[in-house]
Amino acid sequence: MPFCDVSKYRDGGGGNNGIKIFYRTYGHGTTKVLLIIGLAGTHDSWGPQIKGLTGVETPNDAESKTIAAKLNDLEEGFHGDDNEGIEVCAFDNRGMGRSSVPTKKSEYTMTTMAKDAIALMDHLGWEKAHVFGHSMGSMIACKLAAMVSERVLSLALLNATGGGYECFPKVDRQSVSIAIRFLRAKTPEQRAAVDLDTHYTKEYLDEYVGTKTRREILYQEYVKSISSTGMQSNYGFEGQVNACWTHKMTAKELEVIRSAGFPISVIHGRYDIIAQIYYGRKLAEKLQPMARMTDLHGGHLVSHERPEEVNKALLELIKASELKLSPSDWSNFPKEGTGWQAKELQLSLSRMNCSLFRLGIMSNFYLCFLYLFGLFTMAIKCGRKALRSFKRVPVEPSLS
C-alpha cells in the first residue's frame, strides 16, 4: 500500500513524527492533479472526478495490474486534447481512512494538513500541480496555495466556505435532525443513511434508476465503503472539526493567492445545507480577479450529483491554466456592480432595512413604555394627593 511518511519531507515537530498519509495515483501523464477530500471523507470519494479526468478507475499501484492492462487503461484515459495525459493523486487526510490518526486536537489544523499535502507532492516528485479541494479540502487547498503559490497551476474549490462560523450549516428542522442523527450514528448503516441526506438533494435521491431509487442504490454503496474503511475515530472527527472551526484565511494569504496569477474555479451546489452557497460566492469575490463562480443544481456532494458538469468545469480550469488566460477572459464576475455583486448589495440593503425596521419597532415600544410609565407615575401622585385630602382634620376640644 502506498504511504507518504510526512516526517521525511518535513521537520519532526508539530506532531509529525510517525504520521503516514495513505494515497493512490490514477492515470499517467505530465499534467498532475492533487485531489484533497473533505471532513470524514476518504480518497475514493473523488471517484467520479478520477474517472472523468483520467478515464480509469483502477489505481496505478493495484497489484493485479499487468503491463497490458496499464496500456489499455492509458488508451482509455485519452478522450481528446482536454484530458490527455492526466495523472491524479487522491489521499486520506490525517485522522481518516488509512492515514495516521493523531490523538491531540492541536495536531489538526488546516496549515498542518496543507503541509501534509505538500509533503505528498514532494514524495511523488511533483514540482507543480493543479490543486482541487472539496469542502474541508478546499480550506486545505487555500492554505496550500497561500504557502507555496509557485507550485500551484490552478485552484478548484468545491462547496467551499471560509471556515469558522461559516461552517455552521443552515439552521432549520432538516439540518438539526441531520446533525443529531450524525452524532448518534454508531454503525455503517446508520452513518450511510445520514450521509445520503447530508450529501444529496432529496430530489436526486428520489429519482428512479431502473426499478430502484438512487437512495437505495447509494445506501448499499455507502455501507460497503464505510465498512471497508471503518467508522472515523473520535480523535479524527474531533480533530478535523477543530481544524474547520479554527480555519481562517488572512488578508495577506488571500493577496498571495490573488497575485499568483493562476486561474481559480469556485464550484458549488445551490442547495448545499452544509456549506451555504452564500459563503462560496463570498470567497470567490475575495479571490478576484482570477476566480470563476459556477453554481450547479445539487447538494454538498455536487461532484457526485452533477459529475459531468463538475468534470467539464475542472477540465476547463486545466485548459485555462495551460493557455494562461487573462482575468478578463477567465473570470465571470461582473465588472461594475451587476450580477452577484448587485445581489449581495441588495441583500445587504435588505438586511439594513430589516435592522432599521426592528430598531423602529423598539424605539416605538420604548416611547410607548415611557408614556405608560408617565401615566402610571401621575396616577400615583394624584392618588396620594386624594388620600391626604381625606385625612381627618384635628379639632380642638370645645369649651364646656
Side-chain angles (χ1 to χ4, degrees), residues 347-366:
L347 182 60
S348 299
L349 291 174
S350 177
R351 288 174 177 167
M352 185 183 297
N353 290 334
C354 185
S355 299
L356 291 173
F357 178 71
R358 287 196 297 265
L359 181 61
I361 291 177
M362 292 300 296
S363 299
N364 291 335
F365 175 79
Y366 181 67

Side-chain angles (χ1 to χ4, degrees), residues 165-166 277-287 344:
Y165 71 90
E166 293 185 11
I277 192 170
Y278 167 78
Y279 296 117
R281 286 176 176 160
K282 185 177 177 183
L283 180 59
E285 288 179 352
K286 289 180 179 180
L287 295 175
E344 297 301 336

Side-chain angles (χ1 to χ4, degrees), residues 243-263:
C244 292
W245 177 246
T246 56
H247 172 65
K248 182 181 179 181
M249 293 297 293
T250 65
K252 183 177 180 180
E253 289 174 322
L254 291 171
E255 178 57 31
V256 169
I257 297 175
R258 280 195 300 266
S259 60
F262 52 74

Side-chain angles (χ1 to χ4, degrees), residues 261-319:
F262 52 74
I264 304 167
S265 186
V266 179
I267 304 169
H268 215 103
R270 298 186 194 112
Y271 307 104
D272 187 345
I273 63 173
I274 301 300
Q276 299 180 61
I277 192 170
Y278 167 78
Y279 296 117
R281 286 176 176 160
K282 185 177 177 183
L283 180 59
E285 288 179 352
K286 289 180 179 180
L287 295 175
Q288 289 305 310
M290 285 302 293
R292 172 183 286 189
M293 181 73 195
T294 302
D295 60 289
L296 302 172
H297 185 94
H300 188 62
L301 211 55
V302 71
S303 54
H304 284 226
E305 197 165 341
R306 292 289 179 267
E308 294 83 7
E309 293 162 271
V310 170
N311 293 343
K312 179 183 177 183
L314 295 177
L315 289 170
E316 288 177 349
L317 178 64
I318 293 174
K319 179 171 281 188

Side-chain angles (χ1 to χ4, degrees), residues 56-77:
V56 302
E57 296 175 308
T58 307
N60 295 336
D61 64 283
E63 296 178 355
S64 60
K65 276 192 140 186
T66 63
I67 296 177
K70 287 183 179 180
L71 291 174
N72 290 335
D73 284 342
L74 185 59
E75 290 177 2
E76 185 183 355

Side-chain angles (χ1 to χ4, degrees), residues 360-381:
I361 291 177
M362 292 300 296
S363 299
N364 291 335
F365 175 79
Y366 181 67
L367 291 174
C368 184
F369 173 77
L370 289 177
Y371 176 71
L372 293 175
F373 181 76
L375 290 178
F376 180 71
T377 304
M378 290 178 62
I380 291 177
K381 288 183 179 180

Side-chain angles (χ1 to χ4, degrees), residues 76-94:
E76 185 183 355
F78 291 165
H79 296 290
D81 295 334
D82 285 343
N83 63 348
E84 183 174 350
I86 295 178
E87 179 182 6
V88 306
C89 175
F91 63 97
D92 298 343
N93 288 307
R94 59 169 64 198

